Amino acid sequence: MNLEFEIAGGDFTKAGYASSQVKKMLKQLGVEAHCIKNIVIALYEAEVNVVAHAYEGQILVHIESDKITTKIIDKGPGIPDIEQAMQEGYSTASKKVREMGFGAGMGLPNIKKNTDKLQIQSKVDEGTTVEMVNYF
Amino acid sequence: MAPARTYHALTIDEDKCIGCTHCMKACPTEAIRVINGLAEIWSARCVDCGHCMRACPEKAIYVEQDDLQNAKAFKYRVVLFPAVMIGQFPEKYTEDQIYAALLKIGFTHVFEVEQPIGVLKSSIRQYCRTTENIKPHISTFCPAIVRLIQIKYPSLIDNMIQRKAPHDLGAHFAINELKKQGANEDEIGLFYVTPCNAKITSVKSPVGEKESIVDGIINMNTLYNRVMQAIDDKEVPDTSSQRQNLTRDGILWSLTRGESVHFGERSMAIDGIHNVIRFLERLENEEVPDIDFLELRACDQSCAGGIMMTGNRFLTVERLESRAKRYPPAWKLQQSDPVKNSKEIKQKLVADKIVPRPAFSLDKDRVRALEKMNKAQRIICFLPGIDCGACGAPNCQALAEDMVNGRAKMSDCIFLQQMWEDEGRISTDKAFRNVEKKWGEKRFQADCNKRGKRNEGF
Ligand code: SF4
Ligand code: SF4
């Protein structure tokens, strides 16, 4: 099962759509509640990251009977120091974004906490690709 | 373990149902299908919210209730009702007159269930204190919400407060009081008056409780009619002593914010099942700030908007709010005997753990579920996407899911049929028969009184 979502940078009103769709499907597959929760939290966080930082992005979801693989590809400023970004409390979100309640620096560490495998590739001024795998 | 959830109070009258699809479209859990021209409720999915009943223009969906005559078998005939009932009577009738009418109907004792509410309140407080790590605490007051979380949001099960509802409090309290007056427990008949079908189901097959405590259930609208026939505005005896354990907090308990004002530093109250669903989706995604306590109710304006309430919900709220002002707050009764001697009742208010009953998976086996999902996704490509309901399913997605589970056929979609006819894959005659089978011959007969037209439901 493959799903594809587009994300528009800066449009917070639509953040959360992909995670809700994915959640509905995982429930239909009978995936255990706790597991769904982790995936959905990670995916939502990733969605918000793209909205907050990038110009545009794309989510590719691939569901198999034992795992879900999610790729989030964005065009944006990229992450200069991934290790630093993985630390809790670190955030480059603009003031405007923080005022909306997003970008408290929970992003990447929170994603990591909720996935089984996480891979991040990033090029400054080009964009970031996050790939995460969760086993059911 | 909680008993299996088999009982639902709603029944569809096959003679009245015209298969107009209003209920199917109103159901928040997609639990209704129209089959052979008649609505059918899929019990594993139904949460007893009553929305289908509200939407039915033919009043074909009804609620079973117990016969008031059953009360005759008991020496002590107790009517237990939520305080919200008082709110629907016209302003000109006093509380005493309403109580007098209930006695006239044949009850011997009248109890409003929210007393002494301080006992339930401190029991819930206690529960919240011992489970600090699971936030937000979600109220289990509204049975429709409990069921919704069981079938749709199993990840939130642990957040539910394991405490019973005011009707249990009121029942135990009434039994204790009557015993004090010398009654034997088997001489007492408790009759609970319900504002909704959800409470009926929870009383008859309680979620997270072992057995029901009441002997019968009466629908509030039925009792309302009986009271209105019996009531008069003459001078009646003063019954205020029967309400001495009733408080402001108790009267407001079943209204929106009735619970949430008492618990947690940050609490929220949400009413209306569609609002609740939207919020729970967010809560599951952890898209909400840290909340301590969540009060969730299936009806707009909570129980004042219950499906079996007679009055206008906003007027009911107004009357209750002004009534509440005349009563002391619960803390003033904290030192009263019933509250101080409530250890035993408190024990009884502890409910068993609630178990999840997920009702949305496509197959028990995950590999097969995935196959079905893939198949449904392909089917969707061919459906028109206008969610017309003419197939008997609430929307195209639901039809596709029904198809992969063998509950519907491709030919149920009238658009697909039309296409097949155009492509010469099916004869016009066969296509017509198919629709006739689905909706009955009568659908095609001219009938100027055909019901279920627009506005019929208003
Ligand atoms: S009571 Fe509510 S959940 Fe049950 S069938 Fe009716 S609308 Fe659906
Ligand atoms: S809000 Fe009250 S009346 Fe409505 S379903 Fe829940 S308990 Fe029943």
Side-chain angles (χ1 to χ4, degrees):
Chain A
M1 163 69 56
N2 292 310
L3 298 165
E4 229 186 280
F5 304 94
E6 302 293 328
I7 321 173
D11 188 354
F12 285 92
T13 55
K14 295 204 184 84
Y17 177 71
S19 28
S20 287
Q21 289 306 101
V22 169
K23 180 166 72 180
K24 195 181 158 211
M25 298 201 135
L26 295 177
K27 283 185 182 181
Q28 288 186 321
L29 291 181
V31 176
E32 199 246 324
H34 184 73
C35 190
I36 298 183
K37 196 171 170 183
N38 290 342
I39 298 164
V40 167
I41 291 170
L43 183 54
Y44 176 68
E45 206 64 75
E47 258 185 286
V48 171
N49 266 347
V50 175
V51 174
H53 301 289
Y55 316 123
E56 61 177 14
Q58 202 185 20
I59 300 179
L60 305 174
V61 182
H62 180 61
I63 305 177
E64 287 156 275
S65 63
D66 63 336
K67 65 173 193 282
I68 173 169
T69 311
T70 318
K71 226 180 190 176
I72 300 111
I73 309 161
D74 76 40
K75 287 199 191 114
I79 309 171
D81 185 343
I82 294 177
E83 222 155 275
Q84 193 187 14
M86 292 298 285
Q87 269 147 39
E88 217 149 308
Y90 176 83
S91 174
T92 58
S94 65
K95 192 159 172 279
K96 192 173 140 210
V97 169
R98 287 181 197 225
E99 274 167 4
M100 293 169 86
F102 297 99
M106 286 292 284
L108 286 179
N110 207 18
I111 293 177
K112 189 163 187 227
K113 244 194 292 182
N114 288 293
T115 47
D116 296 321
K117 260 194 214 163
L118 177 66
Q119 258 184 17
I120 305 170
Q121 282 162 357
S122 190
K123 251 197 184 148
V124 173
D125 290 336
E126 279 184 25
T128 306
T129 300
V130 175
E131 189 176 321
M132 41 201 210
V133 181
N134 280 56
Y135 294 93
F136 301 147
Chain B
M1 273 292 288
R5 222 194 89 223
T6 45
Y7 186 84
H8 286 283
L10 291 184
T11 312
I12 295 171
D13 185 336
E14 298 199 351
D15 294 329
K16 284 190 182 163
C17 175
I18 52 157
C20 66
T21 75
H22 284 73
C23 58
M24 178 175 88
K25 302 227 145 152
C27 176
T29 55
E30 295 182 352
I32 299 182
R33 298 291 182 274
V34 179
I35 298 165
N36 299 330
L38 290 176
E40 234 174 64
I41 298 178
W42 182 2
S43 112
R45 282 237 182 135
C46 173
V47 298
D48 296 296
C49 69
H51 274 55
C52 50
M53 231 176 127
R54 237 183 269 276
C56 179
E58 291 293 308
K59 304 270 170 279
I61 305 178
Y62 65 94
V63 179
E64 290 164 22
Q65 62 181 321
D66 293 311
D67 194 344
L68 253 177
Q69 298 296 326
N70 295 351
K72 284 203 173 126
F74 297 93
K75 183 167 168 205
Y76 297 88
R77 300 179 290 279
V78 182
V79 57
L80 285 170
F81 61 89
V84 72
M85 184 169 100
I86 299 286
Q88 16 166 32
F89 289 96
E91 201 82 42
K92 67 173 184 175
Y93 297 119
T94 64
E95 290 165 31
D96 284 331
Q97 282 163 348
I98 298 168
Y99 271 52
L102 286 166
L103 296 175
K104 202 161 144 193
I105 290 170
F107 293 104
T108 58
H109 294 82
V110 181
F111 282 93
E112 296 188 44
V113 296
E114 295 93 347
Q115 53 182 342
I117 202 72
V119 179
L120 182 60
K121 203 165 124 181
S122 75
S123 181
I124 293 177
R125 277 239 171 86
Q126 205 174 21
Y127 178 83
C128 294
R129 258 202 313 275
T130 52
T131 50
E132 282 274 6
N133 51 333
I134 315 168
K135 290 268 177 80
H137 289 115
I138 301 177
S139 161
T140 41
F141 171 89
C142 174
I145 298 297
V146 175
R147 260 167 246 127
L148 178 70
I149 291 178
Q150 282 184 298
I151 67 160
K152 207 167 183 224
Y153 303 99
S155 74
L156 299 172
I157 284 272
D158 292 336
N159 297 61
M160 311 227 66
I161 295 170
Q162 284 177 42
R163 287 298 179 266
K164 296 185 185 176
H167 66 256
D168 292 287
L169 168 75
H172 289 296
F173 178 67
I175 291 173
N176 280 1
E177 292 299 295
L178 291 174
K179 274 191 186 160
K180 271 188 222 157
Q181 294 175 25
N184 274 333
E185 202 158 337
D186 53 7
E187 292 174 321
I188 306 172
L190 297 177
F191 291 83
Y192 174 64
V193 185
T194 182
C196 62
N197 53 308
K199 289 271 185 204
I200 301 186
T201 310
S202 89
V203 171
K204 292 233 166 177
S205 73
V207 172
E209 295 171 39
K210 286 198 183 65
E211 57 188 60
S212 167
I213 183 173
V214 306
D215 300 285
I217 295 174
I218 307 160
N219 295 345
M220 203 174 277
N221 44 12
T222 307
L223 193 69
Y224 177 85
N225 289 341
R226 294 289 299 272
V227 170
M228 287 302 277
Q229 279 159 9
I231 204 164
D232 57 45
D233 42 18
K234 283 204 279 297
E235 195 69 35
V236 290
D238 176 15
T239 48
S240 58
S241 65
Q242 293 178 41
R243 295 185 289 276
Q244 58 185 344
N245 290 295
L246 193 62
T247 57
R248 186 179 298 168
D249 303 340
I251 291 171
L252 298 177
W253 198 260
S254 60
L255 300 184
T256 304
R257 294 207 69 75
E259 284 178 286
S260 65
V261 290
H262 301 295
F263 307 105
E265 264 174 41
R266 291 183 83 176
S267 63
M268 280 179 78
I270 302 168
D271 57 9
I273 197 158
H274 292 284
N275 297 330
V276 170
I277 288 175
R278 255 172 256 138
F279 190 81
L280 290 179
E281 289 290 333
R282 281 177 171 258
L283 183 64
E284 255 198 340
N285 300 6
E286 297 202 343
E287 289 174 49
V288 294
D290 295 331
I291 303 283
D292 299 317
F293 183 91
L294 262 184
E295 170 198 305
L296 308 173
R297 309 276 175 85
C299 300
D300 178 13
Q301 299 299 313
S302 293
C303 300
I307 183 76
M308 278 178 294
M309 294 290 290
T310 311
N312 172 282
R313 63 190 63 178
F314 300 102
L315 293 174
T316 303
V317 171
E318 198 281 329
R319 181 159 188 203
L320 285 168
E321 281 174 345
S322 67
R323 179 188 185 210
K325 286 191 193 121
R326 285 184 273 117
Y327 283 77
W331 63 265
K332 280 207 171 154
L333 266 67
Q334 242 13 42
Q335 295 311 320
S336 68
D337 287 344
V339 178
K340 278 209 306 221
N341 305 330
S342 62
K343 211 170 152 211
E344 190 200 324
I345 295 189
K346 237 175 160 176
Q347 209 70 46
K348 289 184 173 147
L349 291 178
V350 176
D352 290 347
K353 203 170 160 37
I354 296 164
V355 292
R357 300 188 187 282
F360 290 86
S361 76
L362 287 172
D363 200 296
K364 280 202 186 78
D365 178 76
R366 188 161 319 124
V367 178
R368 280 225 297 280
L370 190 62
E371 274 166 23
K372 285 181 180 175
M373 187 179 283
N374 282 322
K375 206 168 147 200
Q377 212 63 10
R378 282 196 302 275
I379 294 174
I380 273 287
C381 307
F382 295 96
L383 301 180
I386 57 167
D387 299 342
C388 64
C391 56
N395 52 60
C396 298
Q397 176 73 37
L399 178 67
E401 287 164 15
D402 285 356
M403 283 178 184
V404 297
N405 267 319
R407 277 192 291 262
K409 298 188 298 296
M410 287 297 236
S411 59
D412 286 335
C413 174
I414 55 168
F415 276 75
L416 279 186
Q417 280 226 96
Q418 194 77 24
M419 221 165 70
W420 289 345
E421 258 185 273
D422 186 49
E423 290 167 2
R425 288 167 62 186
I426 178 178
S427 71
T428 308
D429 190 53
K430 174 92 171 82
F432 187 77
R433 296 292 156 243
N434 274 342
V435 183
E436 209 174 52
K437 220 159 95 195
K438 182 96 202 163
W439 292 96
E441 285 166 32
K442 278 209 220 128
R443 268 302 131 182
F444 293 96
Q445 286 164 9
D447 174 7
C448 303
N449 290 319
K450 210 173 263 166
R451 309 292 296 274
K453 299 167 289 194
R454 220 180 126 242
N455 295 337
E456 199 69 63
F458 292 95

